[in-house]
C-alpha cells in the first residue's frame, strides 16, 4: 500500500461552468460525448441547459463524425471524452476533421497521470499528445483555473479562424482528477 | 414493414440505385456518401453541390449525416453507406434510433463483402442481417428493398414521412463506375456552399 494517497484537491470547482460559458460564446450548441467520471459536472451541465443539443454516442469516432457533420452544416460542435477515447481516434481525426478542415473542438479529461491507479490508463495517456500532434490537431493542456477561460476561449477561437480541429486537455490539476476512493 | 433477408431478394446495382435515388431529390436534400464505392458511384451520378464525399473515416457516413440533420432540421439528409462500413460503426444505429432525427434517410448497400479492398467476404455475406440489427437497435422504419421499384416506393415514403428510415439494398458485385476528386477542402467547401452553410 502507498503511504500517501491522492485526495484530488480541486483547483477550480467551477471549471465546468466556465467551459459552458465559453461554448456559448463560440456558438457551440451541439455537444456529443462518451461519458467520463471527471467530466460528469460538464455533461450534467450541458444536459440541463436548453441551449445545448446533446448526443451521447457509442464510440468517440461516431461523436467526431456527428460533430463534423454539424459544423459543416453551420452549427459549431464539441466532443467530450476521456484520454482512452482520444486514443481510439487517430484514423478518424487525420482523415476527417484535419484534412477536410473542420474545426471540431474536443474536451479531453486527462486520465493516466498525477496519481493514476490503473497502469493501462497511464500507458494510454502517453499516446494522446503524439496522436494529436501527428494527426494535425492543435491542443493545449489546461492546469489552472485562472487560465481556463483565456486558454479555452482563445484555443477555440483559433480553431474556428484556422479551420483546424483542437483539443482542450483538462489536467487533474484543474479538475481534481480521479483517484481510488477509500 | 415486411422483413426480408438480403439473400432472398434480387440483387441491384449500386450506381443504378444511386441514380434513381438522386433523381428523386427535388428539395436540395443533402447526400452523404460513405467511403469507397459508395461515394464513387454517388460522384458518378453528377456532382450535386449538396453531396458530401467521405475519403476516409470508414463507417462515419451515417454519423456525419446525423450531424448535418441535427444542424439543419428543415432539410432532408440522405446517407449512403456500404455494409462493411456500417458493420464497423454499427453502434451508430442505436444512437440514431435514440436521437430519432425526423430528417435522416439512410441507405445501406449490402454486397456481402469488402469490395474495394479485394472482395473479401464480410459477415453480411455469411448471414448477418443489417436490417434486423437496425431493428434491434430501435429503428422502427427499416426494411430490405425487394427490387428497384420497391426501393423507389420505400424511398419516396421515407422522404415524405418524418423520422429516421433505413433501407437495405441487396447489391451486386459490379465495381463503381468512377472515382471522386481527392481534394478534401474543396469537397467540403462545395458541400457547405451547397447547403447554405457558407
Ligand atoms: C479503419 C479502416 N479500416 C480499413 C480500411 C480499408 N477499407 C477501405 S474501404 C473498405 C471496405 C468497405 O467495405 P464496404 O463498406 O462494404 O464497401 P464496398 O467496398 O463493399 O463497396 C476497407 C476495409 C479503412 N479505410 N479504414
Amino acid at each position: 500500500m502507498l503511504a500517501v494517497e491522492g485526495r484530488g484537491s480541486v483547483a477550480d470547482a467551477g471549471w465546468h461552468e466556465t467551459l459552458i460559458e465559453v461554448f456559448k460564446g463560440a456558438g457551440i450548441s451541439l455537444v456529443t460525448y462518451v461519458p467520463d467520471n471527471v467530466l460528469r459536472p460538464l455533461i450534467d451541465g450541458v444536459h440541463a441547459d436548453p441551449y445545448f443539443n446533446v448526443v451521447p454516442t457509442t464510440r468517440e469516432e461516431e461523436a467526431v463524425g456527428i460533430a463534423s457533420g454539424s459544423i459543416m452544416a453551420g452549427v459549431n460542435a464539441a466532443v467530450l471524452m476521456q484520454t482512452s477515447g482520444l486514443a481510439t481516434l487517430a484514423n478518424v481525426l487525420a482523415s476527417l476533421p484535419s484534412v477536410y478542415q473542420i474545426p471540431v473542438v474536443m474536451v479531453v479529461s486527462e486520465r493516466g497521470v498525477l496519481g493514476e491507479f490503473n497502469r493501462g490508463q497511464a500507458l494510454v495517456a502517453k499516446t494522446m499528445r503524439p496522436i494529436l500532434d501527428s494527426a494535425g490537431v492543435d491542443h493545449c493542456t489546461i492546469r489552472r483555473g485562472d487560465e481556463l477561460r483565456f486558454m479555452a476561449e482563445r484555443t477555440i477561437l483559433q480553431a474556428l479562424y484556422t479551420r483546424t480541429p483542437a483539443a482542450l486537455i483538462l489536467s487533474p490539476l484543474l479538475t481534481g482528477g480521479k483517484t481510488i476512493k477509500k | 414493414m415486411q422483413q426480408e433477408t438480403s439473400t432472398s431478394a434480387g440483387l441491384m446495382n449500386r450506381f443504378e440505385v444511386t441514380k434513381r435515388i438522386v433523381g428523386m431529390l427535388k428539395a436540395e436534400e443533402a447526400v452523404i456518401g460513405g467511403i469507397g464505392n459508395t461515394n464513387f458511384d454517388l460522384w458518378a451520378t453528377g456532382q450535386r453541390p449538396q453531396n458530401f464525399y467521405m475519403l476516409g473515416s470508414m463507417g462515419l457516413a451515417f454519423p456525419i449525416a446525423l450531424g448535418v440533420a441535427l444542424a439543419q432540421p428543415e432539410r432532408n439528409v440522405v446517407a449512403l453507406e456500404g455494409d462493411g462500413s456500417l458493420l464497423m460503426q454499427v453502434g451508430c444505429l442505436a444512437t440514431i434510433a435514440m436521437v430519432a432525427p425526423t430528417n435522416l434517410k439512410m441507405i445501406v448497400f449490402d454486397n456481402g463483402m469488402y469490395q474495394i479492398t479485394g472482395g473479401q467476404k464480410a459477415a453480411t455475406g455469411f448471414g448477418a442481417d443489417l436490417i434486423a440489427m437496425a431493428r434491434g437497435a430501435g429503428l422502427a422504419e427499416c426494411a430490405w428493398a425487394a427490387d428497384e421499384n420497391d426501393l423507389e416506393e420505400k424511398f419516396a415514403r421515407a422522404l415524405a414521412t418524418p423520422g429516421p428510415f433505413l433501407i437495405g439494398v441487396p447489391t451486386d458485385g459490379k465495381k463503381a463506375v468512377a472515382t471522386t476528386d481527392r481534394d478534401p477542402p474543396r469537397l467540403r467547401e462545395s458541400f457547405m456552399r451547397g447547403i447554405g452553410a457558407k
Side-chain angles (χ1 to χ4, degrees), chain A residues 30 53-59 61-75 91-92 95-96 99-102 163, chain B residues 52-58 60 63-64 66-68 70-72 89 91-92 94-95 98-99 184-185 187-188 191-192 195 197-198:
Chain A
L30 178 78
N53 200 351
V54 185
V55 181
T57 62
T58 64
R59 288 183 61 78
E61 293 183 314
E62 194 196 337
V64 169
I66 296 168
S68 298
S70 177
I71 295 166
M72 286 194 289
V75 174
N91 174 61
V92 160
S95 66
L96 186 62
V99 284
Y100 280 90
Q101 301 173 348
I102 305 169
R163 301 208 63 91
Chain B
F52 180 72
Y53 309 90
M54 219 180 71
L55 296 180
S57 63
M58 179 170 165
L60 290 190
I64 293 170
L66 173 60
V68 175
L70 289 172
Q72 297 200 1
Q89 290 292 344
C92 78
T95 305
M98 173 183 67
V99 175
L187 296 174
R188 194 251 316 142
F191 175 63
M192 287 181 72
I195 60 169
K198 220 178 157 131

Side-chain angles (χ1 to χ4, degrees), chain A residues 12-33 38-54 76-78 80 105 107 142 148-153 156 168 170 174-175:
Chain A
D12 179 6
W15 63 269
H16 45 96
E17 286 152 10
T18 305
L19 275 182
I20 284 178
E21 286 169 23
V22 171
F23 283 174
K24 288 181 176 174
I28 292 175
S29 63
L30 178 78
V31 177
T32 63
Y33 70 91
V38 172
L39 291 177
R40 230 164 73 189
L42 179 58
I43 292 168
D44 291 348
V46 291
H47 269 295
D49 188 330
Y51 177 84
F52 296 102
N53 200 351
V54 185
N76 288 339
L80 318 182
V105 171
V107 175
I142 306 177
L148 168 63
R149 182 182 299 273
F150 193 89
M151 286 182 82
E153 264 176 13
I156 292 173
L168 310 176
L170 307 185
L174 178 78
T175 60

Side-chain angles (χ1 to χ4, degrees), chain B residues 12-29:
Chain B
M12 288 171 255
N13 178 260
R14 185 179 40 239
F15 174 65
E16 294 302 328
V17 165
T18 307
K19 218 164 47 178
R20 281 186 184 233
I21 286 168
V22 169
M24 291 169 71
L25 303 178
K26 306 289 180 218
E28 302 200 342
E29 294 85 349

